[in-house]
Amino acid sequence: MSDTAPRGPRLLAVRHETHYDYDTPVEVAHHSAHLRPRDTTLQRVKDWTLEIDPEPDGGRDAVQESRDAFGNWRHGFSHARVHERLTVVSRFRAELLPPPPLDMAASPPWEQVAQALRYRAGAVQPDAVEFVLGSSFAPVAPALAAFGADLFTPGRPLLALAWALMARVHQRMAYRPHSTTVATDALEALRQGRGVCQDFAHLMIGCLRSHGLAARYVSGYLLTHPPAGQPRLVGADASHAWVALWCPQNDWVALDPTNNIAVAQDHVTLAHGRDYADVAPLRGVIRGGGTTPPHVAVTVEPLP
């Protein structure tokens, strides 16, 4: 079984705005952002800009740019003067190439892949081995292994298994905005049976890891399609998250359990890591501010 025939390149424009209107003035703040998208074999990023208001201490040139342990772009900035609002806007264009066709039946048996990922003294391990280990939001746990245990039949091709597991997550989990928080892990999402894209991804990753397979969390954006005759609403989209599974023949294969589809040219990759904690778009340590959550608005638009 293979996917549909590839199309030509697609160009998308993305705008991601995060706005804080604090309950009480903020006296000091230090922020870390994963907002610059990474280039991949299927994605080329163009004209990325980051706007911060109020301007950070030392001006724009004082924003610290680095790469994290997974190769994602990371930016740090600080405010040492009192402020009551903060707006951070990321803008860029991304050219997306079609993913290569996949022959699911021809992928190796899942247990053969899991065996290759097990630690053996003196053996050369694949780079993917670090994504077999459990993490805070996607742990290795009996309950997660049990969730898909009947799908892991002996000799089943890895990609066929992954598609079946993606479908199960999609069927068993109800998509309910605001039903979980950024602190919800895969075990809690499984108990509740509902969540958002972050929870769907953590559940699938935790299940794969609990059977010895390597899976990573991918943050990004999804181009939504308005109903026929309806305009595309500015700011109506949201950040998205999905799963990438390591397969020896195909490298990393990206799957979107929230929508039960393979990742293609509607998905824009931002960053990847072990789970959400590694790639949160914006986080900070502040003095003051109160408890009002941020307002996030994302727009993804196709370009000619």
Side-chain angles (χ1 to χ4, degrees):
M1 179 177 179
S2 60
D3 62 358
T4 57
R7 299 176 291 173
R10 168 177 245 176
L11 189 63
L12 298 178
V14 179
R15 184 181 191 275
H16 181 164
E17 177 177 333
T18 306
H19 180 73
Y20 290 87
D21 195 352
Y22 297 115
D23 292 336
T24 60
V26 173
E27 299 174 14
V28 178
H30 303 282
H31 291 278
S32 178
H34 279 95
L35 286 170
R36 178 175 174 176
R38 60 187 299 154
D39 289 309
T40 72
T41 56
L42 299 176
Q43 173 175 293
R44 185 171 62 183
V45 178
K46 304 178 179 182
D47 305 322
W48 177 78
T49 61
L50 184 67
E51 302 168 16
I52 304 168
D53 182 28
E55 197 169 77
D57 296 346
R60 295 182 182 181
D61 293 340
V63 175
Q64 299 173 345
E65 182 176 86
S66 61
R67 297 270 194 169
D68 66 14
F70 305 104
N72 305 304
W73 289 105
R74 178 174 55 195
H75 293 80
F77 58 93
S78 301
H79 292 96
R81 60 189 182 279
V82 175
H83 56 285
E84 298 181 349
R85 296 177 179 85
L86 173 67
T87 301
V88 180
V89 181
S90 168
R91 289 188 177 94
F92 64 93
R93 294 179 298 145
E95 184 182 65
L96 303 172
L97 300 177
L102 296 173
D103 189 340
M104 289 189 280
S107 63
W110 72 268
E111 63 266 53
Q112 176 181 315
V113 177
Q115 177 64 34
L117 289 166
R118 291 177 184 171
Y119 174 77
R120 297 186 301 280
V124 177
Q125 298 295 119
D127 292 338
V129 72
E130 65 182 308
F131 294 100
V132 178
L133 305 175
S135 59
S136 297
F137 290 101
V140 172
L144 298 179
F147 173 76
D150 60 308
L151 303 176
F152 289 76
T153 53
R156 190 170 197 178
L158 175 63
L159 295 185
L161 163 67
W163 254 258
L165 179 60
M166 175 174 66
R168 171 160 298 181
V169 172
H170 180 76
Q171 293 163 2
R172 299 280 182 89
M173 289 285 289
Y175 185 84
R176 296 287 186 273
H178 313 299
S179 61
T180 56
T181 72
V182 293
T184 302
D185 64 16
L187 289 168
E188 179 59 27
L190 177 59
R191 283 191 289 268
Q192 293 188 23
R194 62 183 184 273
V196 294
C197 57
Q198 172 182 315
D199 304 299
F200 283 61
H202 284 153
L203 176 55
M204 184 170 174
I205 292 168
C207 183
L208 289 166
R209 290 177 179 170
S210 296
H211 287 275
L213 297 169
R216 65 191 185 193
Y217 180 97
V218 186
S219 67
Y221 309 100
L222 176 64
L223 172 67
T224 59
H225 300 275
Q230 298 295 316
R232 183 176 303 279
L233 300 178
V234 175
D237 298 316
S239 296
H240 197 46
W242 56 91
V243 177
L245 168 73
W246 184 73
C247 177
Q249 293 179 344
N250 307 96
D251 199 33
W252 292 97
V253 177
L255 304 173
D256 180 352
T258 305
N259 295 292
N260 196 28
I261 56 174
V263 168
Q265 290 172 288
D266 287 345
H267 293 74
V268 179
T269 297
L270 184 56
H272 69 243
R274 295 163 299 181
D275 57 28
Y276 172 81
D278 287 331
V279 294
L282 186 64
R283 61 176 53 179
V285 177
I286 66 175
R287 180 188 298 167
T291 59
T292 301
H295 173 72
V296 179
V298 174
T299 302
V300 184
E301 295 181 289
L303 297 175

